[in-house]
Amino acid sequence: MTTTTPQAPGQLSGNVLFYSKPEPLAKELHSNLGVKRMDGPFGFAKAGHAIPLTVGEFPLAAVTGPIIFVGEEKLPIAVMGLNAGENMFVKDDGTFESGIYIPAYVRRYPFVFANDEQNKQMVLCIDRNAEFITDKGYDMAFFEANGEPTEYTKNCIEFCNNFEVERQRTMSFVQLLKDLDLFETKEATFTPANPDGTAGEPQKIAEYFGVSEEKLNKVPAAKFVELRDNGALGQIYAHIHSLVGWDRLIALAMTKAAEQQPAANLN
């Protein structure tokens, strides 16, 4: 795993959710920069209603909300809001609601690995636009006076390395589900109440990929035991059980809408 940045990184690519200005971390550019501590460091995640998740996080994330698979690559994500750009669990002060699982994708910010396609390697980047990166009054510097990474930076590099390992393991997990043809298209729906109290027309909230319990139950016994023994079965059930979280998100959305309604009527 690459932990240093080349002088000419070439074309960078990769998933950059939250990262508006990623730059390869280099002592020539960032020796005078550091990170300041903030009481609410997760304000940037307010815009993340769907956050990438690694398979090892499924059991913890399942308690917070739905874990679904999206796109052609069947990328697993944690659903944290019903509307694009609105994370329902990040408060205005930049902190998460109590008891909410914070995905590793969020916790590694402002660091991220990006693909250096020209040099065929991974380079460590920071989001230069992160509000807690500063050139004055910082608490943790990126580099020592001699140009070596600080202990803080080394720890962040290790976290990103571990995240990349988990990301690769997640890709293997998804490929396993594809090979067994376990995916099916699913819908999350909400049935509103009419003014007279009767049930209204169901409304589709989301369409996504999920594991089919029917297909899972038809997996040959030997393969089922293999899924159990390699830990995949537990992750599959964590995903399946997490889908009841749609009801929680809908209830939260309705509660927030009701709270805002009186204020709207006063205007």
Side-chain angles (χ1 to χ4, degrees):
M1 182 66 63
T2 300
T3 58
T4 57
T5 304
Q7 291 296 313
Q11 182 63 41
L12 299 179
S13 65
N15 193 329
V16 290
L17 174 67
F18 302 141
Y19 298 81
S20 59
K21 190 180 179 183
E23 295 179 353
L25 184 64
K27 60 184 178 181
E28 293 81 6
L29 297 174
H30 306 123
S31 60
N32 66 330
L33 297 181
V35 172
K36 62 180 179 180
R37 291 189 176 91
M38 296 180 62
D39 293 333
F42 301 115
F44 66 91
K46 187 69 176 175
H49 75 294
I51 298 176
L53 207 62
T54 60
V55 66
E57 300 178 276
F58 280 20
L60 292 172
V63 179
T64 294
I67 299 169
I68 65 175
F69 299 83
V70 299
E72 185 177 343
E73 295 181 352
K74 307 295 192 299
L75 175 72
I77 64 170
V79 180
M80 309 194 83
L82 299 181
N83 300 313
E86 181 184 352
N87 189 319
M88 298 171 66
F89 301 116
V90 179
K91 297 185 288 187
D92 292 337
D93 64 1
T95 60
F96 273 82
E97 296 282 357
S98 178
I100 297 302
Y101 177 72
I102 304 174
Y105 188 96
V106 172
R107 287 182 279 121
R108 71 173 179 173
Y109 186 84
F111 291 89
V112 63
F113 273 125
N115 293 321
D116 176 2
E117 296 178 351
Q118 179 175 313
N119 294 301
K120 304 299 183 184
Q121 61 182 329
M122 303 288 284
V123 296
L124 185 69
C125 298
I126 58 170
D127 182 6
R128 188 62 184 84
N129 281 345
E131 64 173 328
F132 41 73
I133 291 181
T134 180
D135 59 359
K136 58 187 69 174
Y138 50 76
D139 299 292
M140 291 87 70
F142 290 135
F143 294 97
E144 303 283 5
N146 61 4
E148 292 298 310
T150 60
E151 194 65 27
Y152 165 74
T153 300
K154 290 178 182 177
N155 289 337
C156 291
I157 289 173
E158 182 180 5
F159 188 92
C160 288
N161 278 334
N162 292 338
F163 182 88
E164 180 61 20
V165 170
E166 285 300 301
R167 191 183 70 83
Q168 295 290 341
R169 191 164 77 91
T170 301
M171 292 173 62
S172 297
F173 171 76
V174 170
Q175 188 59 52
L176 174 63
L177 300 186
K178 289 180 179 179
D179 292 343
L180 293 174
D181 189 29
L182 293 181
F183 283 116
E184 67 176 358
T185 301
K186 293 178 177 285
E187 289 186 354
T189 60
F190 165 60
T191 303
N194 292 322
D196 62 1
T198 60
E201 288 294 323
Q203 300 176 6
K204 183 168 70 173
I205 296 174
E207 185 174 278
Y208 58 94
F209 294 106
V211 172
S212 166
E213 290 188 71
E214 181 180 354
K215 291 182 177 181
L216 181 62
N217 291 334
K218 293 180 179 178
V219 169
K223 178 59 70 172
F224 196 87
V225 170
E226 182 181 330
L227 291 175
R228 181 198 67 189
D229 292 346
N230 66 19
L233 190 60
Q235 313 294 13
I236 291 172
Y237 280 128
H239 148 67
I240 292 174
H241 294 156
S242 78
L243 298 181
V244 301
W246 284 114
D247 292 336
R248 180 188 185 190
L249 293 183
I250 292 169
L252 282 174
M254 292 179 66
T255 299
K256 289 188 176 183
E259 291 173 348
Q260 295 171 0
Q261 192 64 35
N265 290 337
L266 293 174
N267 294 331

